[in-house]
Amino acid sequence: MLGFLFFIVIPLIASLVISFFSWSLHGGAEFVGIDNYTRMLSGADPAFWTVMRNTVVFAILYTILNLIIAIALSYWLQAIPEKWSRLMRVIFFIPVVTPMAGNALIWRLLLNDNGVVNNALGTFGIDPIPWLNHPTLAMGSLLLMSLWQGLGYNIVVLTAGLNGLNTSVLEAAKIDGTNGWNRFFLVVFPMISPTVFFCTVMTVIGAFKVFAQPYFLTLGGPGESTNTMVLYLYRNGFSFDKLGYASAMAWVLFVVVMLITALQFTQQKRWVNYDA
């Protein structure tokens, strides 16, 4: 409880207080009321809405692709021999537990203009592709690296959910003559829907908090094309010396994530089945 108080509760309260001040990193605080929030939401800071759009686009694409690929791979792991399934789960999970900074720097070496990927393409006569210097390609590279990094967690969770299925129900579905496609969507998916719901909530929250990938891979560029909310508030707080504005941005992000999570919980009755 002391750790929760000193490292969670007090910093949360402090950040809320700081968000109402023009607060320099090196001291000197001036109370400005809701000016930080007004500047942010009114468009006085043109970069804010660009950064918010980038974050939302990344969160939507990352969540959809992550869940689709993770569910597909988890379902495939159920169909191969157990020893190979265990090995593949370990391989998929390794990027999750390796340092994000190291992973991002390796991907940067792979994708920069003179990197391994472009050198390999050059052997086939293909001109270098600006993976990290074109707005669309940079966002795609950020998504690809993030998927490689984060897929393993959902694969392990979903595999655990699939391992807990009632085998008698699956056998009955086979006897009734269902094919693999119908069996998955009409039998398997409803039974693992609570697990999928958990993965969806956690993936969305993680996607909105993305920081290390754009920081190390693209530095938020080119321009603001891969700049995200957490990266932008970090820069405002520790590079631009605007702790008050950064704190206000953090609270706006908190409210956005909280509302999206609440919306997910209100909609779970439409597709989540807890009776399996």
Side-chain angles (χ1 to χ4, degrees):
M1 291 301 295
L2 286 175
F4 178 73
L5 177 66
F6 285 108
F7 294 106
I8 302 295
V9 176
I10 292 177
L12 276 174
I13 296 172
S15 70
L16 181 61
V17 172
I18 292 173
S19 71
F20 295 106
F21 286 81
S22 175
W23 197 304
S24 171
L25 185 63
H26 304 289
E30 177 186 356
F31 181 77
V32 294
I34 62 171
D35 283 359
N36 287 326
Y37 295 95
T38 303
R39 175 171 178 261
M40 189 188 317
L41 301 175
S42 66
D45 178 9
F48 172 77
W49 289 109
T50 300
V51 170
M52 177 62 80
R53 183 196 63 203
N54 292 341
T55 306
V56 171
V57 169
F58 174 86
I60 292 173
L61 295 176
Y62 175 75
T63 301
I64 293 173
L65 292 173
N66 189 314
L67 291 174
I68 291 174
I69 297 172
I71 291 172
L73 289 175
S74 301
Y75 197 54
W76 169 69
L77 289 174
Q78 298 300 109
I80 64 176
E82 180 63 22
K83 64 177 181 179
W84 293 111
S85 177
R86 291 179 179 177
L87 175 62
M88 295 303 297
R89 287 201 298 268
V90 171
I91 292 173
F92 286 132
F93 197 72
I94 287 174
V96 178
V97 295
T98 52
M100 181 72 75
N103 289 338
L105 290 175
I106 289 172
W107 275 80
R108 187 174 179 86
L109 290 173
L110 289 172
L111 297 175
N112 64 28
D113 291 344
N114 297 315
V116 175
V117 174
N118 278 333
N119 286 333
L121 293 175
T123 61
F124 298 99
I126 301 174
D127 293 334
I129 298 174
W131 301 105
L132 304 178
N133 296 313
H134 184 280
T136 303
L137 292 177
M139 179 59 78
S141 300
L142 182 63
L143 272 169
L144 184 62
M145 185 264 170
S146 300
L147 287 169
W148 176 84
Q149 174 87 34
L151 271 175
Y153 178 82
N154 281 347
I155 288 174
V156 170
V157 173
L158 288 165
T159 302
L162 288 167
N163 287 337
L165 293 182
N166 189 335
T167 55
S168 62
V169 176
L170 297 177
E171 291 172 359
K174 289 181 181 179
I175 294 172
D176 288 340
T178 58
N179 57 37
W181 188 264
N182 289 334
R183 189 160 56 247
F184 175 79
F185 284 101
L186 300 178
V187 180
V188 174
F189 186 82
M191 295 172 70
I192 65 168
S193 56
T195 307
V196 176
F197 175 70
F198 169 79
C199 291
T200 302
V201 172
M202 299 304 295
T203 304
V204 169
I205 293 174
F208 271 92
K209 296 191 302 178
V210 63
F211 166 74
Q213 296 95 314
Y215 180 75
F216 290 106
L217 187 64
T218 62
L219 299 176
E224 301 287 353
S225 60
T226 59
N227 200 359
T228 60
M229 281 290 291
V230 178
L231 176 57
Y232 190 53
L233 72 87
Y234 167 82
R235 284 177 167 172
N236 273 278
F238 299 103
S239 297
F240 306 151
D241 202 21
K242 299 176 181 178
L243 283 183
Y245 189 59
S247 297
M249 197 175 302
W251 275 93
V252 169
L253 178 61
F254 168 75
V255 171
V256 169
V257 173
M258 182 182 66
L259 291 176
I260 291 174
T261 304
L263 178 63
Q264 289 176 288
F265 273 92
T266 60
Q267 298 299 311
Q268 65 172 316
K269 292 182 180 179
R270 296 177 178 270
W271 63 280
V272 180
N273 180 20
Y274 290 101
D275 298 327

